[in-house]
Amino acid sequence: NAVSASSARGIFQGGVGSPTNVNTIEYVTIGSLGDGTDFGDMTIARQYRTSVSSSTRGVTAGGDPTTDVIDYITISTLGNAQDFGNLFTGRYGTGGCSSGIRGVWAGGFPGSGNVNTIDFVTIASTGNANDFGDLTTGRGYLTGCGSPSRGLFAGGLTPTKVNTIDFITIASMGNAFDFGDLTSTRAALAGCSNSIRGVFAGGNTPTMVNTIDYVAIPTTGNAVDFGDLSILRENKAACSSSTRGVWGGGNDPSNTKRNTIDYVELATLGNAIDIGDLTPSRKGVAGCSNGHGGLG
């Protein structure tokens, strides 16, 4: 089960600073305000990696330059990541979702072009990812979130930007199904959730947006406006508790890397509020938590 909203920890990993990729791992306590705190280092310095997580472990995969590396941390402790295994297909810019048992990565870029690949691991073990099925449309720079039973993958680049939302049943295997549409076509967005509501923020259309929109995960249908991020940005990371969604890092319309951390209350509507900073400023960050909606 998810860690309580008051103590849930959000993790931000990797990205590209100025000018190089970083292996930095930082954490925040989602229920409080404040800056990121040093956690340890990833096994490799990469941007556009994607994290999935259980209530105990965060598992991060892929990255640019293209790699199939999967590594993991124990979220409640501090320390460096350890080797987990390899993706079914090495790639970057995937979308990720997870239950307490299984982590799933979808889409991405294997260097050039994009793929519809979905693969998965059992989070409590180590080993290589296995094939799950296919997205409805191959794309990269998409995002994922979910409930304990259902995973969603939204937006992305095909190479044109799309408003597609797909869903899977995490405990099974098979191809994704159409869920509905985002309020706008966009890529490089970041999604998070509680067990009922999936919330997607930012990205580019190709004009950069501060849009936040949401869906009810147990249903199907189109996203509805939620509010706005505190600043325009893309390529940031998201994490969540049962009550709060948090976004960290990214780049603004001038391509300046940002250290911004902002949040919303997931059960309400409204604009995000700035609560602190990451160190260093970076984009292409991966995010996860031990309290997100896929954990109940």
Side-chain angles (χ1 to χ4, degrees):
N1 292 333
V3 172
S4 71
S6 61
S7 59
R9 180 175 277 188
I11 304 288
F12 297 100
Q13 301 193 53
V16 59
S18 296
T20 58
N21 289 336
V22 298
N23 63 3
T24 305
I25 308 174
E26 287 182 278
Y27 76 93
V28 296
T29 301
I30 295 174
S32 63
L33 309 178
D35 298 336
T37 301
D38 185 55
F39 184 100
D41 296 325
M42 299 190 303
T43 60
I44 53 172
R46 289 289 191 277
Q47 61 179 326
Y48 302 118
R49 306 194 78 204
T50 303
S51 296
V52 297
S53 54
S54 67
S55 59
T56 58
R57 186 180 267 192
V59 182
T60 304
D64 180 28
T66 304
T67 182
D68 62 1
V69 168
I70 308 174
D71 54 23
Y72 75 95
I73 58 170
T74 301
I75 295 174
S76 62
T77 65
L78 301 179
N80 296 336
Q82 300 179 66
D83 182 58
F84 185 100
N86 302 105
L87 286 170
F88 184 74
T89 301
R91 58 205 199 273
Y92 65 92
T94 62
C97 66
S98 45
S99 64
I101 297 171
R102 182 177 276 188
V104 182
W105 294 278
F109 301 101
S112 62
N114 53 69
V115 295
N116 62 5
T117 303
I118 308 174
D119 50 9
F120 75 97
V121 295
T122 301
I123 295 173
S125 67
T126 56
N128 295 338
N130 294 297
D131 186 43
F132 185 101
D134 297 325
L135 289 169
T136 61
T137 303
R139 57 201 198 271
Y141 297 142
L142 67 166
T143 193
C145 64
S147 70
S149 60
R150 183 178 272 191
L152 304 184
F153 300 106
L157 185 67
T158 67
T160 57
K161 295 174 178 72
V162 298
N163 60 4
T164 305
I165 308 172
D166 293 348
F167 76 95
I168 59 167
T169 301
I170 296 173
S172 66
M173 289 188 278
N175 296 338
F177 295 94
D178 182 55
F179 183 98
D181 296 324
L182 294 167
T183 57
S184 62
T185 60
R186 58 197 204 270
L189 67 170
C192 59
S193 64
N194 59 20
S195 60
I196 301 296
R197 183 177 275 189
V199 180
F200 308 103
N204 66 71
T205 67
T207 304
M208 205 171 295
V209 296
N210 60 4
T211 304
I212 307 174
D213 49 12
Y214 75 97
V215 295
I217 297 171
T219 66
T220 56
N222 295 337
V224 177
D225 184 54
F226 185 103
D228 296 323
L229 287 168
S230 62
I231 59 168
L232 288 162
R233 63 200 206 278
E234 62 180 359
N235 298 315
K236 64 208 162 299
C239 59
S240 59
S241 69
S242 59
T243 60
R244 209 176 245 193
V246 179
W247 292 274
N251 59 283
D252 66 19
S254 68
N255 202 32
T256 300
K257 280 87 169 179
R258 303 301 298 237
N259 60 6
T260 305
I261 305 172
D262 50 8
Y263 82 97
V264 295
E265 298 293 341
L266 293 172
T268 64
L269 302 177
N271 296 337
I273 299 169
D274 189 333
I275 57 170
D277 297 322
L278 293 175
T279 306
S281 298
R282 55 199 198 271
K283 69 173 186 176
V285 192
C288 67
S289 77
N290 55 6
H292 64 82
L295 306 178

